[in-house]
Amino acid sequence: MKKNLTLLMAAGVLSVTLFSCNKSDKKPLSENTEAKSEKSNPSDNQENLKLEFTGTDHFTIKNPKLKVSLYAHDPLLADAPATLITEKEYEQTSVPFTIDLPIPKDAASRIDPKAAEGMKYYVSIEWDSDGNGKAGEKRDIYIDHDKEFPNVKLNGEPQKVYLKILK
């Protein structure tokens, strides 16, 4: 009887794990810490991540407003959502371009769930570059994941991010 109960409990845990793997939500910062935005002032509590955006397509930009976000995740926890570390809005009228994304110095402490080591960071963009009111659709500028995933290191060196036009 105990063996059957243990098997039943293990099956329940496995089913909960499988259902949570299907979630594609990214975990935001906790309620008591806010993501940095364009309105925040640089301070001693921030560093900058220099991002160089480039691409080979012919980019036509009708809407220059884009949002760049930095996420962190533990690559050993495949079903854990990424944590939003910071995001900021920019205006760009051409590609290539370079930006400085303010990063809080306590970025690693904001990550949930906490990892022992080996955290990875990546950037994403949201850009309705064709001006149709919907970002991330056909004819918008987007990160070229086929060329290289936008992993970044918080080591003070410039990081390159490749862009393309969604087709």
Side-chain angles (χ1 to χ4, degrees):
M1 181 73 168
K2 284 185 177 180
K3 189 175 187 180
N4 289 341
L5 184 58
T6 304
L7 287 173
L8 183 61
M9 288 180 7
V13 169
L14 180 60
S15 66
V16 169
T17 302
L18 289 175
F19 285 119
S20 68
C21 287
N22 292 330
K23 290 184 179 179
S24 62
D25 298 334
K26 292 177 181 155
K27 186 182 267 186
L29 291 173
S30 63
E31 292 178 46
N32 60 358
T33 57
E34 296 181 18
K36 302 296 179 195
S37 69
E38 161 174 72
K39 297 171 187 155
S40 65
N41 293 326
S43 70
D44 292 338
N45 294 331
Q46 293 182 4
E47 297 174 353
N48 282 328
L49 173 62
K50 185 176 284 293
L51 297 170
E52 298 173 352
F53 290 89
T54 187
T56 57
D57 290 348
H58 173 70
F59 297 100
T60 303
I61 301 171
K62 293 182 180 175
N63 176 13
K65 294 182 181 180
L66 73 142
K67 180 168 56 174
V68 179
S69 304
L70 175 72
Y71 290 93
H73 69 99
D74 183 346
L76 300 177
L77 298 175
D79 59 343
T83 301
L84 175 64
I85 300 297
T86 189
E87 59 187 12
K88 185 175 177 181
E89 290 187 3
Y90 297 90
E91 288 193 15
Q92 295 297 325
T93 56
S94 65
V95 174
F97 61 92
T98 301
I99 63 167
D100 286 321
L101 181 64
I103 307 298
K105 286 187 179 180
D106 66 343
S109 68
R110 296 178 179 216
I111 300 166
D112 186 30
K114 302 289 184 220
E117 58 184 66
M119 292 307 301
K120 291 206 172 187
Y121 298 89
Y122 67 91
V123 294
S124 71
I125 64 168
E126 188 175 313
W127 196 352
D128 174 28
S129 60
D130 68 353
N132 72 351
K134 298 177 184 175
E137 292 192 343
K138 193 175 185 179
R139 294 183 301 277
D140 281 328
I141 297 173
Y142 199 70
I143 292 176
D144 189 349
H145 292 91
D146 296 328
K147 184 160 185 127
E148 185 176 345
F149 192 80
N151 287 322
V152 295
K153 295 179 181 173
L154 305 183
N155 58 8
E157 296 178 10
Q159 310 287 311
K160 191 165 280 207
V161 179
Y162 296 98
L163 301 176
K164 69 177 182 179
I165 296 175
L166 287 175
K167 298 184 189 287

